[in-house]
Amino acid sequence: MIIDVQLASFFTAVALIILGLYAALFLDNLIKKIIGLAFIGDGANLFLITIGYKPGGIVYIFLQGMARDWFVQNAAYPLPFALVLTSIVIGASTLAVMLGIVIMLYKKHGTLSASKVLKE
């Protein structure tokens, strides 16, 4: 049995979000927590891309000679892709800031353990 691409993408997005939540909530290492948060963001991005996917759809660029009705029926929905591009930029900069904070915490406390950093 072959699974549909869109359905497989939904399952993958949910798996990424669940794995990220587990890492962010239950792991003690700060770097692993940050990786978990990145997984949550990647799962949300994949979910948005999957929403915008249209089987057999075309790129949403209206060219000369295209009938307007045919274009509207066959073009993919562009908003999720624009949201994902914005999310990627915000996620990358947030990830850099979080890693910088972890570097400073490691220099101050000498450990990456969240429980030890919070006790001090």
Side-chain angles (χ1 to χ4, degrees):
M1 178 177 155
I2 297 175
I3 191 167
D4 183 35
V5 173
Q6 194 169 17
L7 188 60
S9 295
F10 276 126
F11 286 144
T12 305
V14 169
L16 281 171
I17 292 171
I18 290 172
L19 184 63
L21 282 172
Y22 174 78
L25 295 176
F26 298 115
L27 297 180
D28 192 41
N29 190 317
L30 291 173
I31 300 291
K32 291 178 183 178
K33 285 183 180 290
I34 291 174
I35 291 171
L37 293 174
F39 276 10
I40 293 170
D42 292 342
N45 288 341
L46 181 60
F47 181 75
L48 287 173
I49 289 172
T50 305
I51 289 172
Y53 174 75
K54 185 174 188 177
I58 62 170
V59 178
Y60 38 86
I61 299 174
F62 188 70
L63 301 174
Q64 291 180 350
M66 285 185 175
R68 186 175 306 271
D69 293 334
W70 181 85
F71 176 76
V72 169
Q73 291 175 352
N74 292 315
Y77 190 51
L79 182 63
F81 300 105
L83 291 173
V84 167
L85 284 174
T86 306
S87 175
I88 288 170
V89 172
I90 293 170
S93 55
T94 306
L95 181 67
V97 170
M98 286 190 293
L99 289 173
I101 291 171
V102 166
I103 289 171
M104 297 308 292
L105 285 172
Y106 182 75
K107 286 181 180 179
K108 182 178 179 183
H109 298 284
T111 184
L112 291 175
S113 173
S115 59
K116 290 180 182 177
V117 168
L118 291 175
K119 285 181 183 175
E120 295 181 16

